[in-house]
Amino acid sequence: MRGRFITLEGGEGAGKSTQARRLADALAAQGLPVLRTREPGGAPGAEAVRDVLLGAGPWDGVAECMLHFAARREHVARSITPALAAGIWVVCDRFADSTLAYQCFGQGVPRAVWDGLAEIALDGLRPDLTLVLDLAPEEGLARAAARGETNRYERMGLGFHARVRDGFRAIAAAEPARCTVLDATDTPEGVAAAILATVRSRLSPS
Ligand code: TMP
């Protein structure tokens, strides 16, 4: 049986990586085979593109979208699709919604660019479930800064991060069957419990 594809999305400092780890551990504890992965990255070439995207800039917005989708194509073709076909559950820290929120809502790249690249790169793949961790950008950026060194996106202004948050909320509102918005101001334990309850009710892992 095909595995399930779960993505975690949200702005900076929302706790996606922590929650991806907790969810992957919880599913594995139920005896399910799990791959935890991330974007940009998740395959050797995609990790190399990650270094480029998080370090150098500025980019033309369309070029930046193309780089994210080039990394994503590698990730999908080499890691995600083979894992799902082998019955493995894939827990992914960011996916295509991040490009829509950051590059289109945040940076103003036309939606048609995203639509075209998604059509080319994804072979129809879409997550079975997307968990959007929602947090005010002021708090998320403060959390990210407290972690230490910031990446190029984290250094973009508050207005940009407010548009990204609005973007994720709009994406979730447009696709309620796929997306759930969770309050990321809760404790890590509280968010983890809400995620597990959502996964159980939406995907019924054995
Ligand atoms: P993160 O792995 O720490 O979340 O960092 C990845 C950064 O890349 C984050 O600031 C969001 C950004 N990003 C985009 O702008 N577009 C994308 O498509 C993806 C996957 C990430």
Side-chain angles (χ1 to χ4, degrees), residues 12 16 38-40 50 54 64 68 72 93-96 98-99 102-103 107 147 151 153-154:
E12 308 300 329
K16 293 179 310 303
R38 68 165 182 187
E39 290 206 345
R50 177 188 178 92
L54 267 54
E64 192 163 338
H68 276 292
R72 183 162 299 128
D93 180 351
R94 298 194 183 280
F95 192 61
S98 277
T99 310
Y102 278 76
Q103 278 66 54
Q107 293 173 237
R147 278 198 309 243
N151 71 38
Y153 293 104
E154 287 161 347

Short mmCIF file of all heavy atoms in Angstrom, two decimals, residues 12 16 38-40 50 54 64 68 72 93-96 98-99 102-103 107 147 151 153-154, ligand 1:
data_model
loop_
_atom_site.label_atom_id
_atom_site.label_comp_id
_atom_site.label_asym_id
_atom_site.label_seq_id
_atom_site.Cartn_x
_atom_site.Cartn_y
_atom_site.Cartn_z
N GLU A 12 8.57 31.57 9.91
CA GLU A 12 9.80 31.35 10.68
C GLU A 12 9.47 31.10 12.16
O GLU A 12 8.55 31.69 12.71
CB GLU A 12 10.71 32.58 10.57
CG GLU A 12 10.97 33.06 9.15
CD GLU A 12 11.64 32.01 8.30
OE1 GLU A 12 12.42 31.20 8.84
OE2 GLU A 12 11.39 32.01 7.07
N LYS A 16 8.22 23.99 13.16
CA LYS A 16 7.97 22.90 12.21
C LYS A 16 8.96 21.74 12.36
O LYS A 16 8.56 20.58 12.33
CB LYS A 16 8.06 23.40 10.77
CG LYS A 16 6.97 24.37 10.38
CD LYS A 16 7.18 24.82 8.95
CE LYS A 16 8.58 25.31 8.71
NZ LYS A 16 9.02 26.41 9.59
N ARG A 38 13.03 17.30 4.50
CA ARG A 38 12.79 18.76 4.57
C ARG A 38 13.03 19.41 3.21
O ARG A 38 13.67 18.84 2.33
CB ARG A 38 13.76 19.38 5.57
CG ARG A 38 15.20 19.33 5.06
CD ARG A 38 16.10 20.25 5.84
NE ARG A 38 17.47 20.22 5.33
CZ ARG A 38 18.48 20.84 5.92
NH1 ARG A 38 18.28 21.52 7.03
NH2 ARG A 38 19.69 20.79 5.40
N GLU A 39 12.51 20.64 3.10
CA GLU A 39 12.79 21.46 1.91
C GLU A 39 13.21 22.85 2.32
O GLU A 39 12.75 23.35 3.36
CB GLU A 39 11.55 21.53 1.03
CG GLU A 39 11.23 20.22 0.37
CD GLU A 39 10.45 20.38 -0.94
OE1 GLU A 39 9.91 21.48 -1.19
OE2 GLU A 39 10.41 19.42 -1.70
N PRO A 40 14.02 23.61 1.52
CA PRO A 40 14.69 23.01 0.38
C PRO A 40 15.69 21.96 0.87
O PRO A 40 16.34 22.16 1.88
CB PRO A 40 15.42 24.18 -0.29
CG PRO A 40 15.28 25.35 0.62
CD PRO A 40 14.33 25.03 1.71
N ARG A 50 19.83 24.19 -1.67
CA ARG A 50 19.45 24.85 -0.41
C ARG A 50 20.52 25.85 0.03
O ARG A 50 20.22 26.98 0.41
CB ARG A 50 19.24 23.80 0.70
CG ARG A 50 18.91 24.41 2.05
CD ARG A 50 18.90 23.37 3.17
NE ARG A 50 18.63 24.00 4.45
CZ ARG A 50 17.42 24.16 4.98
NH1 ARG A 50 16.37 23.69 4.36
NH2 ARG A 50 17.27 24.78 6.13
N LEU A 54 19.64 29.79 0.56
CA LEU A 54 19.64 30.39 1.89
C LEU A 54 20.80 31.36 2.09
O LEU A 54 20.77 32.19 2.98
CB LEU A 54 19.68 29.30 2.98
CG LEU A 54 18.31 28.86 3.50
CD1 LEU A 54 17.39 28.42 2.40
CD2 LEU A 54 18.45 27.77 4.54
N GLU A 64 14.12 32.53 -8.50
CA GLU A 64 14.11 31.94 -7.16
C GLU A 64 13.07 30.81 -7.08
O GLU A 64 13.34 29.74 -6.52
CB GLU A 64 13.80 33.04 -6.14
CG GLU A 64 14.03 32.62 -4.73
CD GLU A 64 14.12 33.83 -3.80
OE1 GLU A 64 14.40 34.94 -4.27
OE2 GLU A 64 13.90 33.64 -2.61
N HIS A 68 13.74 26.79 -6.29
CA HIS A 68 13.00 25.99 -5.30
C HIS A 68 12.37 24.78 -5.96
O HIS A 68 12.38 23.68 -5.40
CB HIS A 68 11.94 26.85 -4.60
CG HIS A 68 12.48 27.65 -3.45
ND1 HIS A 68 12.93 27.07 -2.29
CD2 HIS A 68 12.65 28.98 -3.30
CE1 HIS A 68 13.36 28.00 -1.45
NE2 HIS A 68 13.20 29.18 -2.04
N ARG A 72 13.02 20.84 -5.47
CA ARG A 72 11.84 20.01 -5.15
C ARG A 72 11.72 18.83 -6.10
O ARG A 72 11.38 17.71 -5.69
CB ARG A 72 10.59 20.91 -5.20
CG ARG A 72 9.30 20.23 -4.81
CD ARG A 72 8.25 21.28 -4.47
NE ARG A 72 8.69 22.08 -3.34
CZ ARG A 72 8.74 23.42 -3.33
NH1 ARG A 72 8.29 24.11 -4.36
NH2 ARG A 72 9.18 24.05 -2.28
N ASP A 93 9.17 18.67 6.21
CA ASP A 93 9.25 20.01 6.77
C ASP A 93 9.34 21.00 5.60
O ASP A 93 10.39 21.16 5.03
CB ASP A 93 10.51 20.05 7.66
CG ASP A 93 10.74 21.38 8.34
OD1 ASP A 93 10.05 22.35 8.01
OD2 ASP A 93 11.64 21.44 9.19
N ARG A 94 8.21 21.58 5.22
CA ARG A 94 7.98 22.47 4.08
C ARG A 94 7.86 21.69 2.77
O ARG A 94 8.52 20.68 2.57
CB ARG A 94 9.09 23.52 3.89
CG ARG A 94 9.25 24.49 5.04
CD ARG A 94 10.11 25.68 4.59
NE ARG A 94 10.35 26.61 5.67
CZ ARG A 94 9.49 27.53 6.09
NH1 ARG A 94 8.32 27.63 5.49
NH2 ARG A 94 9.77 28.34 7.08
N PHE A 95 7.02 22.22 1.87
CA PHE A 95 6.87 21.67 0.51
C PHE A 95 6.39 22.81 -0.38
O PHE A 95 6.69 23.99 -0.11
CB PHE A 95 5.92 20.46 0.53
CG PHE A 95 5.91 19.65 -0.74
CD1 PHE A 95 7.06 19.02 -1.19
CD2 PHE A 95 4.75 19.52 -1.51
CE1 PHE A 95 7.06 18.29 -2.37
CE2 PHE A 95 4.73 18.79 -2.68
CZ PHE A 95 5.89 18.17 -3.11
N ALA A 96 5.67 22.51 -1.43
CA ALA A 96 5.33 23.50 -2.46
C ALA A 96 4.55 24.70 -1.92
O ALA A 96 4.65 25.81 -2.47
CB ALA A 96 4.55 22.83 -3.58
N SER A 98 5.21 26.37 0.58
CA SER A 98 6.18 27.39 1.01
C SER A 98 6.56 28.31 -0.16
O SER A 98 6.77 29.51 0.05
CB SER A 98 7.44 26.75 1.59
OG SER A 98 7.25 26.42 2.95
N THR A 99 6.67 27.76 -1.35
CA THR A 99 7.00 28.62 -2.51
C THR A 99 5.84 29.57 -2.80
O THR A 99 6.05 30.75 -3.11
CB THR A 99 7.31 27.76 -3.75
OG1 THR A 99 8.27 26.76 -3.39
CG2 THR A 99 7.88 28.61 -4.88
N TYR A 102 5.95 32.15 0.30
CA TYR A 102 7.14 33.03 0.37
C TYR A 102 7.36 33.79 -0.93
O TYR A 102 7.61 35.00 -0.91
CB TYR A 102 8.40 32.22 0.71
CG TYR A 102 8.57 31.95 2.19
CD1 TYR A 102 7.80 30.96 2.82
CD2 TYR A 102 9.47 32.66 2.96
CE1 TYR A 102 7.94 30.70 4.17
CE2 TYR A 102 9.62 32.41 4.32
CZ TYR A 102 8.85 31.42 4.91
OH TYR A 102 8.99 31.18 6.26
N GLN A 103 7.36 33.08 -2.05
CA GLN A 103 7.72 33.75 -3.30
C GLN A 103 6.51 34.48 -3.92
O GLN A 103 6.68 35.60 -4.43
CB GLN A 103 8.33 32.75 -4.30
CG GLN A 103 9.82 32.48 -4.06
CD GLN A 103 10.13 31.77 -2.75
OE1 GLN A 103 9.58 30.71 -2.47
NE2 GLN A 103 11.00 32.34 -1.92
N GLN A 107 6.85 37.72 -1.99
CA GLN A 107 7.72 38.48 -2.89
C GLN A 107 6.99 38.99 -4.14
O GLN A 107 7.61 39.66 -4.96
CB GLN A 107 8.92 37.62 -3.32
CG GLN A 107 9.87 37.31 -2.15
CD GLN A 107 10.97 36.31 -2.50
OE1 GLN A 107 11.12 35.28 -1.88
NE2 GLN A 107 11.74 36.62 -3.53
N ARG A 147 17.52 31.57 18.22
CA ARG A 147 18.23 30.32 17.87
C ARG A 147 19.66 30.59 17.43
O ARG A 147 20.46 29.69 17.32
CB ARG A 147 17.50 29.62 16.71
CG ARG A 147 16.31 28.79 17.11
CD ARG A 147 15.95 27.82 16.00
NE ARG A 147 15.82 28.45 14.70
CZ ARG A 147 14.68 28.50 13.99
NH1 ARG A 147 13.60 27.96 14.45
NH2 ARG A 147 14.66 29.09 12.81
N ASN A 151 19.04 33.00 8.45
CA ASN A 151 19.25 32.84 7.01
C ASN A 151 18.70 34.07 6.27
O ASN A 151 18.13 34.98 6.86
CB ASN A 151 18.67 31.52 6.50
CG ASN A 151 17.15 31.50 6.49
OD1 ASN A 151 16.49 32.50 6.17
ND2 ASN A 151 16.57 30.36 6.84
N TYR A 153 16.16 34.55 4.34
CA TYR A 153 14.71 34.80 4.43
C TYR A 153 14.34 35.40 5.79
O TYR A 153 13.50 36.29 5.88
CB TYR A 153 13.93 33.51 4.19
CG TYR A 153 14.05 33.01 2.78
CD1 TYR A 153 14.86 31.93 2.46
CD2 TYR A 153 13.38 33.64 1.73
CE1 TYR A 153 15.00 31.47 1.16
CE2 TYR A 153 13.50 33.19 0.43
CZ TYR A 153 14.32 32.11 0.15
OH TYR A 153 14.45 31.68 -1.15
N GLU A 154 15.00 34.88 6.83
CA GLU A 154 14.69 35.38 8.17
C GLU A 154 15.05 36.86 8.31
O GLU A 154 14.49 37.57 9.14
CB GLU A 154 15.42 34.55 9.23
CG GLU A 154 14.82 33.15 9.39
CD GLU A 154 15.75 32.15 10.07
OE1 GLU A 154 16.96 32.44 10.21
OE2 GLU A 154 15.27 31.07 10.42
P1 TMP B 1 14.00 26.40 7.16
O1 TMP B 1 14.34 25.04 6.66
O2 TMP B 1 14.79 26.81 8.35
O3 TMP B 1 12.55 26.63 7.34
O4 TMP B 1 14.56 27.45 6.07
C1 TMP B 1 14.17 27.42 4.77
C2 TMP B 1 13.92 28.82 4.32
O5 TMP B 1 13.61 28.81 2.93
C3 TMP B 1 12.76 29.50 5.04
O6 TMP B 1 13.15 30.80 5.42
C4 TMP B 1 11.67 29.59 3.99
C5 TMP B 1 12.40 29.52 2.69
N1 TMP B 1 11.68 28.84 1.62
C6 TMP B 1 11.15 29.59 0.58
O7 TMP B 1 11.28 30.82 0.56
N2 TMP B 1 10.48 28.94 -0.41
C7 TMP B 1 10.33 27.59 -0.43
O8 TMP B 1 9.74 27.02 -1.36
C8 TMP B 1 10.89 26.81 0.66
C9 TMP B 1 10.74 25.33 0.68
C10 TMP B 1 11.55 27.49 1.66
#
